[in-house]
Amino acid sequence: MKNSVKSMLRLSNRTKSVIILLLIACGPEPFDYDEFKSFFSPESANNEAKFHPYNFTTQFTYDTDIWGEDAKIDLALAENVKAWANYAGVSEKIVTDELYINNEENKHGTGLSDALEKKEKLEAFDYLVLAKEIEANDLSNLDDAAIDTNQQVVKPDYDALLTDIQTKYTKTKDIFLKERLAYQAVKVADMAGNPKKSIDFYDKLVKPLTQKTFISDWATSRMAGACMHAGDSVRANYHFSQLFVNAPTRQTAAYLSLKHVAKFYEEALNLCQNVNEKANIYAATAVLPFQDGLPMLEKIRDLDVQNPLLEFVMAREINKNEKYFFTERQELNYVFWGVDSLTKNSWKANASNYFEKLLAFNLESAENSSLKSSPFWYTSASYLTFIAKDYAKAHELLQKAKAIPTNQQGIKDQIAMQEMILAVSKTPEVTPQMEETVMPLLERFAHSDKFRTANNFNATCKILAAKYQGLPINDEFSENLGGKMSIKTDPKTKSLGWFSGCFGKKENSNTNTNASPENKAKAFLVSMLATYQLNLSDENGGASFVSSSDQYAIEDSTSSTTINAVLAYFAKKSPSDFDKRLNKLAGFDNDYLYMVLGRRALAEHRYAEASEAWKHISPKVWQDEPYKTYLDVNPFSLSGQGDTDAKQRVTPLSFATRMAALEAKVKQNPNDYESWILLGCGTYNMNYHGNSWILLRRSWSGSETVNEKDDYYTYEKALFYFDKAINTAPKPEQSAKACYLAAACQKIKYDIVYTKLYDGLYLLSEEEQAKKETENKQVLATLRKDKYSTYFNLLKTKYGSTVYEDQLLKECSTYKDYLGK
């Protein structure tokens, strides 16, 4: 036999018991790659959609699934297609087919060229030929596969191309073509590695144009790149900043180029024509990956208090600092931007002080007469004040935000979410007024497809559940630093009076655990609302988030007393409006509750109660999945003990009923060996290592985290039953068999200790690992001797002369290992 509990008991290692229903041991994976712990929605800021990708994210750009297969609309492509379609009088599809899409034979269409030739727009026809030649000779378009072939790359005759472009530019009077030819000149000179000529062409050919479109933005982007290549980072900084704010078709290119410029250049402000352009430089700098935006925000507000980018940058700063304020992990980084450890430590250490500074700015802005038309500033100030645990001030600020009319849905939702979380946080106990306030908000934000909404919803449910039970609250809104960092206010920062030093303060929690049955029922239901199984965005299993909890885990840790309380709560003769709506929101029925009640009663070894609960379940349920597959053996048969027919099928109801009858028998006759053995076999098999775990759980995983206080894993009750069988067996052979089963239970307990000692061992250095392993061996040897060999010792000393013990010596490696020490 192999050295494992299942092999030790000769249980079949069925594949189906490993695959199991559905593995949900670690909770759901995120469906939103931007997800991190955050409660303030960037959509609450009133900014143009074009800035949405530059909200804070740990990814490349916000709300972009780079692993997805769905093609994103290229704005530059779309604008160019539309322009050519209008110019040539053809459909956008015809333009797309020729300029951008190859067919199955790797050939472009010719519909656009044909239309131009037919309409005698020969200059445009010739331009297309030229543009295609330039595109084909753009070495930056070569993919890695082409470069890796080590084939000789033949450079085009750039001088000839530039001569042709200038000739066409001089001759044409068509402004549509003139702008494109100017762009091609700037582009080709840059392709040729001559940045100075590229800049000259921009000044001579692009600047004089009286009518400009997005094509001039393309030319500006090329020219700004040429400035970088020429070493003029100041001019590049200026142009890329203006492009980021004003040129949607070159916004991403400008953003990436600004990252390479690497820093803010004060001199770039001297190139600005007005305050708007200066504000653009500050805004574009603020969104760079490693840049604190607050100093830039202050500059923007000083220049133009009504600048539309103010809210956008502030929302981004709040979200960025949430990442560092809330995180418990040392690994603070952007996935796509490398961050050195000193920077990460600095962000984490300064997160509280930075929140204080952001709050000061928000409070000042909220009271600024020029900004009072927007509820954003009071809303964001309320959120930051809420984190500081000043609920009264947060409520006051939120009421001011609500009083400002707005049609923007993002800020309306943020205000409502803050109202929801405030409602459950500001009083120590749940009140009818709290319930009245929070219920419509719970209904509004359940089933969200946005992770911040889910974060707020789940935190609300968890706080509400804890208060119903009178339990300490796991504060979702405090910095998760394990108390290692004290909060200190920067002496240079303006005093915030009532607020200073509040960040990081832990909420005083009610610890009265004498909750009423009804409050326990409500706690169970609101806890379930936060599970990802109930909190899906749609019936097909839409978005669910890592912050959601697991419905199965809650079921498995809830007492039968609580489930009975929920049943009684459902059966109230005069339910309140809140009661009705909570029940509807949870969506449970009696079938579900009686199923859970039976499992929990069985787990608590209240067999008669489990039997009574499962009598409410239709017998047909036991004939279908998952019981059809996962309850297909006899749980009263174990390693040749108990029932002789190991294949006899049972149902959960018949199992619980028989366990109750067996329990009644041993109460009547404590010396009933057969009943003790059957109780032990049934209890063993309904637990984690047993063949009928489905009696207690909805799922099973080989990588579950063991709960050392849960008999499902520890086998205390099964050991108790087998011990009783040892002492009531009429013959030594029967005692020996019961003793072996008790030893199996004891070995499970030993394996739990063993696994815990070795957890994380291989993450240590080789030297530490060797030292720890030596210590572990000594600890385990002592434990085996003093605590976990009771029944193996008994087998050897008291039942060593039995036939069964002799059989074990031949077949059981675990027993032989014990004897060999």
Side-chain angles (χ1 to χ4, degrees), residues 60 228 237 240 252-263 284-285 287-290 334 336-338:
F60 190 68
M228 286 179 63
N237 182 252
F240 281 130
T252 299
Y255 176 68
L256 295 174
S257 297
L258 282 167
K259 179 179 179 290
H260 289 294
V261 172
K263 68 175 184 177
T285 305
V287 301
L288 295 180
F290 313 131
Y334 296 98
F336 288 95
W337 312 106

Side-chain angles (χ1 to χ4, degrees), residues 579-623:
D579 297 334
K580 294 175 184 176
R581 293 164 78 174
L582 178 57
N583 289 344
K584 182 179 179 181
L585 196 57
F588 297 141
D589 57 21
N590 279 355
D591 284 347
Y592 165 79
L593 291 172
Y594 278 119
M595 182 66 77
V596 176
L597 176 59
R599 282 198 171 107
R600 298 315 302 147
L602 194 64
E604 296 164 5
H605 307 287
R606 302 158 70 102
Y607 309 125
E609 186 177 337
S611 176
E612 287 301 313
W614 281 339
K615 286 177 182 177
H616 291 84
I617 305 296
S618 168
K620 186 178 182 300
V621 171
W622 313 129
Q623 310 306 319

Side-chain angles (χ1 to χ4, degrees), residues 102-259:
N102 293 356
N103 60 22
E104 294 179 358
E105 297 177 355
N106 204 31
K107 293 180 180 179
H108 288 281
T110 60
L112 175 60
S113 296
D114 294 342
L116 292 172
E117 194 170 26
K118 185 176 181 180
K119 295 179 181 181
E120 297 185 351
K121 292 189 173 186
L122 300 183
E123 280 185 325
F125 180 89
D126 290 342
Y127 169 78
L128 275 184
V129 174
L130 174 64
K132 290 175 183 178
E133 182 183 358
I134 293 171
E135 188 71 11
N137 285 291
D138 189 347
L139 301 183
S140 66
N141 290 332
L142 291 177
D143 59 25
D144 292 338
I147 294 172
D148 288 343
T149 59
N150 295 321
Q151 294 178 355
Q152 180 107 19
V153 177
V154 179
K155 290 188 177 182
D157 188 342
Y158 291 118
D159 290 338
L161 285 173
L162 287 170
T163 299
D164 192 12
I165 291 168
Q166 292 177 86
T167 299
K168 287 179 167 60
Y169 179 90
T170 303
K171 287 183 177 180
T172 188
K173 295 182 179 180
D174 187 330
I175 190 61
F176 179 88
L177 297 178
K178 206 171 194 69
E179 185 182 27
R180 279 164 171 73
L181 286 162
Y183 160 65
Q184 295 292 3
V186 175
K187 175 181 177 179
V188 171
D190 190 39
M191 288 165 54
N194 194 333
K196 185 179 183 305
K197 183 177 285 188
S198 179
I199 296 168
D200 288 343
F201 275 134
Y202 180 85
D203 291 338
K204 293 176 182 177
L205 305 182
V206 179
K207 271 189 175 181
L209 295 174
T210 55
Q211 297 179 40
K212 295 179 181 178
T213 69
F214 63 92
I215 294 296
S216 291
D217 293 335
W218 295 12
T220 304
S221 182
R222 274 286 183 172
M223 179 272 296
C227 290
M228 286 179 63
H229 301 150
D232 190 350
S233 295
V234 172
R235 191 174 178 186
N237 182 252
Y238 164 75
H239 285 294
F240 281 130
S241 296
Q242 307 311 317
L243 288 168
F244 175 78
V245 176
N246 297 318
T249 63
R250 280 296 179 264
Q251 190 175 40
T252 299
Y255 176 68
L256 295 174
S257 297
L258 282 167
K259 179 179 179 290

Side-chain angles (χ1 to χ4, degrees), residues 436-490:
E436 182 181 350
T437 300
V438 80
M439 176 48 68
L441 297 169
L442 290 174
E443 292 170 332
R444 175 174 175 176
F445 295 118
H447 318 301
S448 173
D449 61 351
K450 295 180 179 178
F451 73 85
R452 288 183 176 88
T453 306
N455 287 348
N456 278 286
F457 179 86
N458 295 333
T460 298
C461 291
K462 290 172 184 176
I463 293 170
L464 194 56
K467 289 188 174 182
Y468 274 130
Q469 296 177 90
L471 296 174
I473 296 168
N474 181 18
D475 191 351
E476 298 275 340
F477 296 93
S478 286
E479 45 186 358
N480 292 319
L481 299 173
K484 295 180 181 178
M485 187 183 83
S486 60
I487 308 303
K488 296 179 181 178
T489 304
D490 187 340

Side-chain angles (χ1 to χ4, degrees), residues 359 363 378-395 397 498-499 502-503:
L359 174 63
L363 288 171
Y378 278 125
T379 304
S380 52
S382 174
Y383 172 65
L384 295 172
T385 307
F386 169 81
I387 296 175
K389 304 293 181 288
D390 191 336
Y391 299 140
K393 187 67 176 180
H395 176 77
L397 293 169
W498 54 269
F499 181 81
C502 290
F503 275 119

